Amino acid sequence: MSSLPLTYFGNPILRTKGKPVEKIDQEIIDLVHAMEKTMDDHNGIGLAAPQVGRSLRLFITRAPRQSPDGEWVEGDFLVFINPIISEPSDESWLREEGCLSIPKVYGNVERPLKITVEAQDLSGKVKKMSYSGLQARVIMHENDHINGVLFVDRMDKKERKALEQQLREIKKKFN
Ligand code: CO
């Protein structure tokens, strides 16, 4: 399975709402495996279909997790198809985010600490699960992608403004 080309800030597909995945056929299975390879090749911890040029409600994550002794280890590979996020916690936290579609740009984003997600996996089974911390954050970042939203949209306005030049350059360089 080979890596797929990424789409970058400035590409209209990153501003388009993805369509529901109607059927989890071989094409979707192949797409997910190619996305996994692409994410890993770029050392990403999440990747959404629009980032590889497919306007679909589908994303994958491999968020690091903390082992019982507090050490950060590689997390599980998770697939979310037609996800619905609910029950965001009132408690939120600020953390720096980045995005494979916006190279070398980082910024603080406030997000709920906990969420519940209902989504299909590759077998088509619907699973409802609660997530917290970094895993929840990655899910929300990727879920934004399938709604045409980018993390820079959720930044403090002043901080975002400071990035405008960098964003303009990415737009020019990659599109
Ligand atoms: Co991203």
Side-chain angles (χ1 to χ4, degrees):
M1 194 66 63
S2 60
S3 217
L4 299 167
L6 292 171
T7 58
Y8 292 97
F9 184 84
N11 187 320
I13 200 165
L14 293 175
R15 293 308 193 180
T16 306
K17 228 177 134 123
K19 289 191 178 63
V21 174
E22 303 286 355
K23 193 165 170 259
I24 302 169
D25 53 15
Q26 195 57 45
E27 196 194 330
I28 293 295
I29 293 167
D30 290 346
L31 173 64
V32 167
H33 289 143
M35 284 173 66
E36 181 181 11
K37 172 92 167 82
T38 309
M39 176 175 71
D40 290 345
D41 282 353
H42 291 274
N43 296 313
I45 59 174
L47 189 69
Q51 294 183 277
V52 292
R54 300 294 306 274
S55 195
L56 291 170
R57 306 193 71 72
L58 151 66
F59 61 81
I60 60 174
T61 71
R62 197 197 298 281
R65 60 179 174 80
Q66 248 171 329
S67 67
D69 59 12
E71 209 181 316
W72 285 96
V73 295
E74 186 178 272
D76 297 325
F77 174 65
L78 300 176
V79 181
F80 298 85
I81 300 171
N82 301 323
I84 299 164
I85 294 183
S86 60
E87 298 165 60
S89 59
D90 291 333
E91 197 182 343
S92 64
W93 63 306
L94 196 71
R95 187 189 190 273
E96 194 173 72
E97 295 188 13
C99 181
L100 294 181
S101 294
I102 318 177
K104 295 184 181 130
V105 170
Y106 303 93
N108 289 316
V109 179
E110 184 150 13
R111 299 203 190 258
L113 184 64
K114 291 177 188 165
I115 50 166
T116 298
V117 186
E118 195 177 322
Q120 283 169 276
D121 62 17
L122 262 192
S123 72
K125 237 190 314 189
V126 177
K127 263 195 319 195
K128 193 171 181 177
M129 291 267 291
S130 291
Y131 299 94
S132 64
L134 184 59
Q135 176 69 66
R137 176 175 292 275
V138 176
I139 289 170
M140 285 182 271
H141 175 116
E142 301 311 328
N143 195 69
D144 275 349
H145 273 301
I146 64 173
N147 289 320
V149 176
L150 299 170
F151 82 90
V152 290
D153 306 339
R154 296 197 182 275
M155 286 176 63
D156 173 85
K157 281 202 172 61
K158 263 196 211 141
E159 286 182 37
R160 157 90 190 237
K161 217 162 179 171
L163 297 176
E164 282 305 326
Q165 183 59 30
Q166 251 182 301
L167 293 174
R168 263 198 300 275
E169 279 165 19
I170 291 168
K171 223 175 196 170
K172 256 207 319 231
K173 185 175 170 190
F174 291 100
N175 295 283

